[in-house]
Amino acid sequence: FRFKESLAEDLRKADLVISHAGAGSCLETLEKGKPLVVVINEKLMNNHQLELAKQLNRDGHVFCCNCSTLVETLQLMDLSTLKPFPPGQPEKFALFLDKVVGFQ
């Protein structure tokens, strides 16, 4: 897509999502419970996308590849091996901030 206001409807309908490794794209897809193949852009400098993709892959939540290995990844992947992404717990972060700032 060049630009869309929201991908929510596309994600709802998807059986599989292939995306770059942007944090928003990854987390939104995983929160919807959709299987995800993350394609890393190796040309980015200070590639934070690589770090996120590798960690999500190590944790078993996504398949990770680059453009040259995408077809092979799609052919060899077993979606049943992916682990569900745990839901966020914003209350833990709020408690941490309260403690740091001294509200507790």
Side-chain angles (χ1 to χ4, degrees):
F1 300 107
R2 269 189 123 27
F3 176 78
K4 264 187 142 173
E5 289 291 328
S6 172
L7 296 176
E9 182 64 17
D10 299 295
L11 286 174
R12 188 185 67 73
K13 293 177 182 178
D15 294 320
L16 172 70
V17 176
I18 300 172
S19 176
H20 74 135
S25 299
C26 289
L27 294 176
E28 186 175 2
T29 301
L30 292 171
E31 287 170 353
K32 299 279 189 264
K34 300 297 180 167
L36 176 60
V37 175
V38 176
V39 181
I40 299 167
N41 180 350
E42 296 172 318
K43 295 179 182 178
L44 290 177
M45 294 179 64
N46 300 320
N47 197 347
H48 66 281
Q49 288 190 11
L50 177 62
E51 294 171 25
L52 176 62
K54 284 189 173 187
Q55 187 61 54
L56 289 172
N57 182 261
R58 274 192 298 270
D59 293 343
H61 301 300
V62 305
F63 292 104
C64 185
C65 64
N66 57 40
C67 289
S68 63
T69 61
L70 176 59
V71 171
E72 179 183 10
T73 299
L74 293 171
Q75 291 170 336
L76 298 176
M77 69 183 183
D78 177 358
L79 295 179
S80 71
T81 63
L82 290 176
K83 297 177 184 173
F85 190 72
Q89 297 177 325
E91 64 281 353
K92 284 188 175 183
F93 183 65
L95 289 172
F96 170 76
L97 282 181
D98 286 349
K99 185 177 179 181
V100 169
V101 176
F103 292 137
Q104 281 187 332

